[in-house]
Amino acid sequence: MPKMIRIECQREGGKILNLSVKGHANSAPHGEDLICSAVSAVVFGGLNALENAKAFKIETDEEKGILNVEAKEDVSLHDYQVLDTIMIQLKSIEESAPKYIRIVEKGC
């Protein structure tokens, strides 16, 4: 299990096509980890705001700490903005806890 959360974001033409979240922060005992809670709240709260979740392939494995979101067809401007908002919030968490979360952006 990684000792931090690793997030990869792939963009094309400025639009997010793939978002991958892997690992656990391990900043506190299981069930008390505020970094993991924050990342989960941001990601799942954002995904709940998608207007067409069917335009994405979304895979999760909570036990392994894995989430993959991949655009599989044309995505609305609203949904691209939701993904951008998720990334902005995740970057805020990364800035406040760089020991526990790392973001890699490709195609920016």
Side-chain angles (χ1 to χ4, degrees), residues 14-105:
K15 297 177 180 177
I16 296 173
L17 299 181
N18 189 317
L19 177 63
S20 173
V21 181
K22 296 180 182 172
H24 294 282
N26 295 311
S27 67
H30 182 72
E32 298 176 24
D33 193 325
L34 295 179
I35 305 300
C36 278
S37 295
V39 169
S40 293
V42 165
V43 172
F44 287 106
L47 294 179
N48 286 332
L50 294 173
E51 69 182 2
N52 185 13
K54 292 179 181 180
F56 299 90
K57 179 180 178 184
I58 301 173
E59 300 174 318
T60 63
D61 185 329
E62 184 179 337
E63 197 167 304
K64 292 181 181 178
I66 296 173
L67 170 94
N68 288 306
V69 179
E70 182 178 354
K72 61 181 186 177
E73 59 187 58
D74 285 338
V75 176
S76 70
L77 177 60
H78 172 271
D79 286 352
Y80 281 127
Q81 290 172 330
V82 167
L83 294 176
D84 280 332
T85 301
I86 290 170
M87 285 303 299
I88 290 166
Q89 293 174 333
L90 291 173
K91 286 177 186 177
S92 293
I93 297 169
E94 181 188 39
E95 287 175 11
S96 65
K99 181 177 176 183
Y100 301 107
I101 179 173
R102 175 145 312 129
I103 297 174
V104 175
E105 292 188 81

